[in-house]
Amino acid sequence: MILGFFLLGAVLSILGAIPLGASNLAVVSTTSKHSLSHGMKIAYGAGIGEVVLAFVALNYSMVFSDFFEMNPWIQVLFISVLFIVGLYFLTPKKIRISVKGAPTKGLRYSKFMIGFFLSFINPPVLLYWILAISIAKNHLLEISEMSPMNMLLLFFTGVFLGKVVTLFFYGKLSDRIKQKKKGEKSKLYRVIGVSLIAISLAQMVRYCLQ
């Protein structure tokens, strides 16, 4: 029963991380530009962000459901950012961002924080966790903020590992593509750009139908 909480957290996290999202594409892009180890720094940050989202959903599901209903501009802003970033990946040569050299330590922490914020500041994923935990309560395991601490720790450990392992496979796939043929990098950027734009449009359609 106790291990069931770990498995529940891992399965819910994997199901939420498999669809292409901002953190997935950030890991793919960073691995393509640098290395898998750099991509995994984003993955670790995204894993922590996912744990925070799951914690928030577990404790304040009703509050945030009402908040998103009363402030639809948050979802519109997130959708717009995804669309703009997608356009950037489709035109990387036309839009250049100058970044001055920084110490390796700063680079390491910045990638971790990028992963954290891409995962944490993500209203659709928070809504996913609210829905997933609600379904789990009714049909799988009774989990709430009042559950024993050891069970909650196992649940959130499963959430973290599920996210990181899923992003690792995305990064590994990107690394293999990079090793096979470096000329495929521009095609990979186009795939990322189209994916981000498709995600933003899908979210916009979903938002309009609400």
Side-chain angles (χ1 to χ4, degrees):
M1 176 63 73
I2 293 179
L3 286 178
F5 283 85
F6 172 80
L7 293 175
L8 177 65
V11 169
L12 292 180
S13 184
I14 290 171
L15 290 177
I18 286 176
L20 280 176
S23 56
N24 306 56
L25 294 172
V27 170
V28 170
S29 175
T30 302
T31 301
S32 175
K33 290 180 179 179
H34 302 286
S35 66
L36 180 59
S37 62
H38 282 85
M40 289 308 297
K41 293 168 189 173
I42 292 180
Y44 296 137
I48 297 297
E50 199 78 7
V51 169
V52 175
L53 280 184
F55 175 82
V56 170
L58 190 65
N59 287 272
Y60 306 104
S61 58
M62 293 302 298
V63 174
F64 274 90
S65 294
D66 295 338
F67 179 77
F68 284 131
E69 289 181 5
M70 295 175 62
N71 298 275
W73 62 269
I74 296 177
Q75 294 190 56
V76 175
L77 177 63
F78 179 77
I79 291 168
S80 301
V81 170
L82 278 183
F83 186 83
I84 292 170
V85 174
L87 288 179
Y88 166 74
F89 275 103
L90 286 178
T91 57
K93 293 182 179 180
K94 296 180 181 179
I95 306 175
R96 294 185 180 275
I97 300 176
S98 178
V99 180
K100 294 182 179 181
T104 303
K105 185 176 180 180
L107 180 66
R108 180 169 65 251
Y109 285 118
S110 67
K111 289 189 182 301
F112 179 89
M113 293 307 297
I114 286 172
F116 175 81
F117 283 114
L118 285 177
S119 182
F120 177 65
I121 307 177
N122 197 333
V125 177
L126 178 56
L127 292 175
Y128 162 78
W129 275 109
I130 292 172
L131 177 62
I133 290 176
S134 298
I135 293 173
K137 285 181 180 180
N138 294 328
H139 302 286
L140 297 173
L141 289 175
E142 181 63 34
I143 182 169
S144 70
E145 66 278 9
M146 302 303 294
S147 297
M149 183 61 68
N150 61 335
M151 294 181 180
L152 290 176
L153 286 174
L154 283 170
F155 175 76
F156 290 123
T157 300
V159 171
F160 175 79
L161 291 179
K163 182 73 171 183
V164 170
V165 168
T166 304
L167 293 182
F168 169 78
F169 282 108
Y170 272 98
K172 196 69 175 176
L173 177 62
S174 175
D175 193 47
R176 287 184 178 180
I177 293 175
K178 182 179 69 173
Q179 290 177 3
K180 285 182 178 179
K181 190 175 182 181
K182 292 185 178 180
E184 295 292 321
K185 186 178 290 188
S186 60
K187 292 182 180 180
L188 181 62
Y189 288 167
R190 286 197 293 271
V191 171
I192 293 174
V194 170
S195 298
L196 282 173
I197 291 174
I199 292 169
S200 66
L201 293 177
Q203 292 294 336
M204 179 58 72
V205 170
R206 181 181 175 186
Y207 168 77
C208 292
L209 293 177
Q210 287 180 347

